[in-house]
Amino acid sequence: MKNKIMYTKPSIGELEIAYVTDAVTHGWGDKCYDYINKLERNFSEYLGVRYAIATSSCTGALHMGMAALGIGPGDEVILADTNWIASVVPVVHLGATPVFVDIDPDNWCISVQQAERAITSKTKAIIAVHLYGNLCDMDGLRQLARTYGLALIEDAAEALGSEYKGNKAGSMGTFSAFSFHGTKTMTTGEGGIFATNDEALYQKVLTLSNHGRKTGQNKQFWPDEIGFKYKMSNIQAALGCAQLERIEELITAKRKVFHRYAELMKGLPRIQLNPESHECVNSYWMPTVVFSEDSGIHQKQLQEAFLAENIDARVFFWPLSALPMFKENKSNTNAYSICQRAMNLPSFVDISMDEQKRVVAVLTELITKNIK
Ligand SMILES: *Cc1c(COP(=O)(O)O)cnc(C)c1O
């Protein structure tokens, strides 16, 4: 059996080990927030936003942000049907109704036209999820948000380092959320961050994130309202600080992995890779192949072929509306079709050229066998 090619794994070096060792050795008592404060400061500066709050996950950051916006029962929140479950879970927990709309077949992100059609008097927000590093049409979505008076939430968990017309993904919405899960471009093991330019919203989330204790509340052990406990530890933040110092290196490496795939696949017919549209930078968190409908190549064949070569490639996200807890909506034809003929490719930052060639060889053989 050939050695296994993992689909993701973090890049951990001496800097990470040094910071985490420092945090676990000295980061207690007076210093128990030092790395957390540093991570929040450095991350907001990197992103070009005013405020950031480190959290235990992206899901937690989204939950608190939506709670602070007052999203609740009777409200509708629009998002793309093609998504990881995490983007919609907070909507459900808050008692609001998710409305799943189709994706744009070119960027695999929410279709602005479909989002507009789904707006009702109950709509409170649109969630823009930058899928696999690809960018949503932010001009279109911002226009909708302005016209209809909606919040625009950026779930930038997969798009750290991507840029839309000079703005970093996660710097353009009412608020944004990132994930530092072990599979993401930058990791703290588990973790995430909330970011916004809106001072009032920041203050609200800060209070919520502190079990409802308001800044300036001098009475000890005195929460002013019901909040959340989605905090990041100082030890995790130390890991995050090191990763953030290396962020340009990590993103350059992700882009290099993608460009090698693109080069190796040059000339292969009926394949689409992640797009990078005009005036955008894709940080290519997850290089993904989508076969054309007329290729006849199905996800099942892809999965089997990769498995036979001991390559851990992953399936494209299923439509959320196809999951048992939601109502099926097959009119989202792109979401239901693309996932049947697509695959995420291994893309950890130090994957070797030989390993990438092994991945592409699987695709080449499938195409040779199936496409006349
Ligand atoms: C990974 C991911 C999340 C969830 O992140 P957690 O930190 O695991 O909560 C949310 N949204 C998207 C788009 C993701 O890819």
Side-chain angles (χ1 to χ4, degrees), residues 55-62 83-88 129-132 155-159 177-181 183-184 190-193 285 317:
T55 57
S56 54
S57 70
C58 178
T59 311
L62 288 168
N83 256 320
W84 176 229
I85 186 79
S87 309
V88 73
V129 183
H130 304 297
L131 207 79
Y132 301 138
D155 180 343
E158 303 180 5
F178 288 83
S179 172
F180 303 142
H181 180 256
T183 55
K184 299 286 159 52
E190 290 278 3
I193 208 160
W285 171 61
F317 291 131

Side-chain angles (χ1 to χ4, degrees), residues 175-302:
F175 77 81
S176 68
F178 288 83
S179 172
F180 303 142
H181 180 256
T183 55
K184 299 286 159 52
T185 297
M186 148 179 170
T187 191
T188 59
E190 290 278 3
I193 208 160
F194 165 91
T196 187
N197 277 314
D198 181 329
E199 178 167 12
L201 189 65
Y202 166 70
Q203 286 298 342
K204 263 189 196 164
V205 173
L206 196 60
T207 300
L208 288 176
S209 76
N210 199 18
H211 259 322
R213 288 174 288 182
K214 285 205 170 90
T215 317
Q217 171 57 266
N218 292 323
K219 202 163 158 181
Q220 291 184 337
F221 300 131
W222 190 262
D224 302 277
E225 58 184 289
I226 290 290
F228 295 92
K229 185 67 196 294
Y230 287 143
K231 290 190 179 215
M232 179 185 281
S233 75
N234 198 52
I235 300 170
Q236 290 170 301
L239 182 49
C241 285
Q243 293 262 284
L244 191 57
E245 277 185 40
R246 296 179 52 220
I247 194 67
E248 296 303 340
E249 175 199 337
L250 296 174
I251 289 162
T252 303
K254 292 295 276 190
R255 286 179 58 80
K256 182 173 155 200
V257 169
F258 178 88
H259 285 124
R260 274 197 203 152
Y261 274 133
E263 189 62 29
L264 291 167
M265 287 183 214
K266 230 180 201 167
L268 287 186
R270 298 188 173 85
I271 275 188
Q272 180 197 359
L273 286 166
N274 312 49
E276 182 173 59
S277 47
H278 181 59
E279 295 184 298
C280 290
V281 177
N282 191 326
S283 57
Y284 297 123
W285 171 61
M286 190 61 73
T288 298
V289 285
V290 175
F291 281 88
S292 63
E293 269 175 277
D294 66 357
S295 69
I297 291 177
H298 193 270
Q299 184 202 70
K300 230 187 176 138
Q301 291 165 281
L302 284 160

